[in-house]
Amino acid sequence: MIEIMIDLQGGAKAPLYEKIYNYIKNEITLGKMATGEKLPSTRLLARHLSISRSTVEMAYEQLLAEGYIKAEPCRGFFVCDVTELYRLGIKQPAEGGHEIQKSEKVKEEIEGQGREEGLCRKTEIDFSPYAIDTEHFPFNIWRKINKNVLLDDREELLLSGDGQGDYGLRHAIASYLHQARGVNCEPSDIIIGAGNEYLEILLTQILGKKQRVLMENPTYPQAYHTFYNMGYEVEMLPVGEQGIKMEAVLEKNPDIVYMMPSHQFPLGTVMPLKQRLELLKWAAEGENRYLIEDDHDSEYRYRGKPIPSLQSVDRFGKVIYLGTFSKSIAPSLRISYMVLPPQLLEQYHKCCGFYSTTVPKIQQEVLKAFIEEGHFERHLNKMRGIYRSKHDFLLGELKKRNWVNNIRGEHAGLHVLVEVKTKLSEQEICALAAERGVRVYGISEYYISGKKVAEDREKGLDRRQTPVLLLGYGKLTEAEIKDGLEELDGILGEDYALSVAGLGR
């Protein structure tokens, strides 16, 4: 077993769990902790360092989430094999002897899920995984910034501006991404557009035709349909707790892999560091291979530190980074951003540089001021507290329900997954809930599957899997959450469920 000696009193001021996390992470990446070595138990390390056990648990949870260590039931915590893959950080020669230099430099809100009209009475409670809390939007600050932007009669505000987006806003975004997500980019690497779908369409023109895209399944249906409609060959790969399996990527050998490594939607899983580095290595071995990182709701994580972006460890210019302000500010803002690696940025200027920006310059100026004056960071901090409170309340209420078999995807994002004990299908649950004025969503809606499976689910015939519901809490109050769950109590009570399904005792 490893003996850990950490000076918790010296060094920079930081939470104790963060000092433990940083120490162990550095020891692993430097190879000082060998693969497979066992770490002290949380109880033993807490006693050794004279700190609370919960502090050690938080550090271990962060290391587990990022894939530096793994937990084995009844055995303990062990070091993962990441040291060899970390050698990818060394600059590699490119063709012609030049080096590829390290750059110095949510998913989009979906406002309607398209249910048939007349299926239910007016929805009173909507557990949408996309909805956000708009009640606490800083209207006064936003209004004041708008007035200040329009205070001077600046003619340039009426012009279309730079096709990539206003330089000042791109500079503010670059600074924010580096500080919050570890993204290495310059303002010149960023393209601003009206929503992720627009940027994905733009990206298909940059990458060229006849590309083969590998996507996680389940996934954002909108991203799938965007690539499919642009003529790309899209193939789906099942994704589990460890993300996309590298063996499957090698077998399929696509041109592009689209993924959400820091918080997969809708499963809420985090891709371990080893898989991330394996994918980077795979991409680096092919001249025209790229990874699309959709970092749709990275701002909201309620335990430990935010998971670093995949782009932050890319040294080969292989990651295309997508982000949005839809969940952090408002869906109606319609401002997303894309960070391109150098070679694709050059291609953008060649084939798409003549396009005008799709975001009004006034909105860009307002957002720039909102970020630069510190309002964005304060708003995020406030919303994290509000969402965490709703998240904890929802979990507490769910744990009281006997129809809840398992809860997954908690501690991050704006929804949880609930595995339900029932004989009803997901579609039956959603339909019965709609009749009671409650909208819930089944996991099957986010799977891209064959026609026969889709038809069976449409008819409610697919009973091979336990129903899993996505319960979003972003827009709901605690009272609405409680009322909505009480309505589900009436549907998912055992006797009621059996009778509806025609399986009464």
Side-chain angles (χ1 to χ4, degrees):
M1 183 184 295
I2 301 168
E3 184 174 351
I4 296 179
M5 302 296 295
I6 311 173
D7 179 11
L8 297 178
Q9 304 304 318
K13 290 184 178 179
L16 294 181
Y17 90 90
E18 190 171 323
K19 289 186 176 183
I20 298 170
Y21 155 81
N22 284 325
Y23 175 85
I24 296 176
K25 182 183 78 170
N26 290 336
E27 292 290 290
I28 293 172
T29 57
L30 292 174
K32 295 181 180 180
M33 290 185 180
T35 299
E37 275 200 85
K38 186 176 181 180
L39 294 171
S41 68
T42 56
R43 186 186 303 276
L44 181 62
L45 185 56
R47 186 167 64 244
H48 175 66
L49 298 176
S50 299
I51 58 177
S52 70
R53 187 180 178 185
S54 62
T55 300
V56 179
E57 288 174 343
M58 285 186 67
Y60 276 23
E61 284 176 4
Q62 187 70 26
L63 292 163
L64 279 167
E66 296 185 20
Y68 289 100
I69 64 175
K70 61 182 178 180
E72 296 186 7
C74 303
R75 293 193 62 213
F77 300 93
F78 297 84
V79 175
C80 290
D81 181 13
V82 299
T83 52
E84 287 297 320
L85 292 167
Y86 249 95
R87 294 179 183 176
L88 285 168
I90 302 172
K91 295 177 182 177
Q92 299 291 331
E95 290 185 8
H98 298 290
E99 288 185 335
I100 299 178
Q101 300 289 337
K102 171 183 174 181
S103 179
E104 297 281 328
K105 54 184 184 134
V106 257
K107 182 55 196 136
E108 191 63 23
E109 176 75 20
I110 303 164
E111 297 181 22
Q113 280 298 310
R115 301 262 179 161
E116 292 184 8
E117 293 184 7
L119 176 65
C120 61
R121 63 187 174 88
K122 182 181 178 182
T123 300
E124 296 174 359
I125 299 171
D126 188 352
F127 284 96
S128 170
Y130 302 107
I132 69 168
D133 187 318
T134 53
E135 181 182 351
H136 295 90
F137 180 80
F139 281 105
N140 289 336
I141 293 172
W142 196 263
R143 188 181 302 113
K144 181 180 178 181
I145 294 174
N146 269 277
K147 288 181 179 179
N148 290 340
V149 167
L150 296 171
L151 194 60
D152 298 326
D153 296 336
R154 292 189 291 153
E155 185 180 351
E156 65 266 24
L157 291 176
L158 305 178
L159 305 178
S160 60
D162 193 324
Q164 273 188 250
D166 179 70
Y167 181 86
L169 176 56
R170 287 187 280 129
H171 184 275
I173 291 173
S175 298
Y176 162 71
L177 288 178
H178 182 70
Q179 176 267 326
R181 305 294 299 125
V183 173
N184 299 301
C185 66
E186 296 289 343
S188 57
D189 302 327
I190 297 174
I191 299 172
I192 294 170
N196 279 27
E197 287 81 12
Y198 165 77
L199 291 176
E200 288 161 359
I201 291 171
L202 185 66
L203 184 59
T204 61
Q205 298 181 50
I206 297 170
L207 293 170
K209 299 178 180 179
K210 298 181 179 179
Q211 300 286 328
R212 296 178 62 244
V213 182
L214 201 60
M215 297 184 70
E216 301 165 321
N217 204 17
T219 190
Y220 271 119
Q222 288 72 19
Y224 165 80
H225 290 300
T226 299
F227 289 123
Y228 180 82
N229 291 344
M230 295 306 293
Y232 277 19
E233 181 183 339
V234 186
E235 190 159 358
M236 310 304 296
L237 267 187
V239 59
E241 293 295 324
Q242 302 298 311
I244 292 177
K245 292 185 178 179
M246 197 62 227
E247 297 82 0
V249 175
L250 293 173
E251 179 186 346
K252 302 295 182 181
N253 194 30
D255 302 300
I256 303 160
V257 177
Y258 171 96
M259 56 189 173
M260 294 161 273
S262 295
H263 187 233
Q264 204 276 344
F265 183 90
L267 298 181
T269 55
V270 177
M271 183 181 292
L273 181 64
K274 183 177 180 180
Q275 274 85 336
R276 296 178 185 224
L277 296 174
E278 285 177 340
L279 282 166
L280 282 171
K281 181 181 178 182
W282 167 83
E285 290 171 350
E287 182 180 357
N288 296 314
R289 291 176 180 170
Y290 292 98
L291 307 174
I292 299 176
E293 178 180 15
D294 190 341
D295 208 16
H296 60 104
D297 65 354
S298 58
E299 293 88 359
Y300 301 123
R301 182 170 171 81
Y302 312 121
R303 295 191 69 171
K305 297 171 59 180
I307 303 297
S309 67
L310 176 67
Q311 199 270 2
S312 68
V313 293
D314 177 24
R315 303 295 182 267
F316 303 99
K318 289 297 181 178
V319 175
I320 301 160
Y321 182 89
L322 288 172
T324 179
F325 290 102
S326 287
K327 284 195 172 182
S328 56
I329 299 182
S332 63
L333 191 60
R334 299 298 297 166
I335 296 182
S336 294
Y337 46 87
M338 176 168 64
V339 179
L340 290 178
Q343 59 271 34
L344 291 184
L345 189 65
E346 183 179 348
Q347 182 63 19
Y348 161 78
H349 289 298
K350 285 181 180 178
C351 68
C352 303
F354 62 91
Y355 288 157
S356 297
T357 181
T358 53
V359 180
K361 188 170 177 60
I362 293 176
Q363 283 288 71
Q364 294 187 58
E365 288 274 346
V366 172
L367 179 56
K368 175 178 77 81
F370 190 70
I371 297 173
E372 289 182 341
E373 294 174 12
H375 304 300
F376 180 53
E377 184 177 1
R378 287 190 287 273
H379 177 61
L380 277 181
N381 289 334
K382 178 181 179 181
M383 295 312 301
R384 284 191 193 102
I386 291 170
Y387 288 138
R388 179 169 186 164
S389 178
K390 294 181 181 185
H391 163 273
D392 293 347
F393 181 82
L394 174 61
L395 289 186
E397 288 295 314
L398 286 171
K399 289 174 182 177
K400 299 176 184 177
R401 266 68 191 179
N402 58 12
W403 48 264
V404 174
N405 188 49
N406 190 24
I407 302 172
R408 291 182 281 149
E410 68 271 37
H411 306 311
L414 297 179
H415 74 275
V416 298
L417 282 80
V418 182
E419 190 177 294
V420 180
K421 298 176 186 175
T422 180
K423 296 297 183 181
L424 296 170
S425 68
E426 284 179 9
Q427 188 182 13
E428 288 169 337
I429 296 171
C430 295
L432 290 168
E435 291 175 3
R436 292 170 173 257
V438 178
R439 179 170 288 186
V440 294
Y441 305 81
I443 189 73
S444 59
E445 294 184 32
Y446 303 92
Y447 277 93
I448 308 299
S449 43
K451 183 178 180 181
K452 179 65 170 61
V453 175
E455 289 176 349
D456 285 348
R457 282 181 176 149
E458 185 68 23
K459 296 174 183 177
L461 299 176
D462 186 10
R463 299 180 184 275
R464 293 169 295 173
Q465 296 181 341
T466 302
V468 177
L469 303 179
L470 275 75
L471 297 183
Y473 50 84
K475 192 172 180 60
L476 300 178
T477 64
E478 291 185 357
E480 288 172 329
I481 291 171
K482 187 172 183 179
D483 289 346
L485 293 180
E486 287 176 353
E487 292 293 341
L488 291 179
D489 288 339
I491 297 169
L492 296 170
E494 185 178 5
D495 291 337
Y496 184 84
L498 289 172
S499 64
V500 170
L503 300 171
R505 297 173 183 174

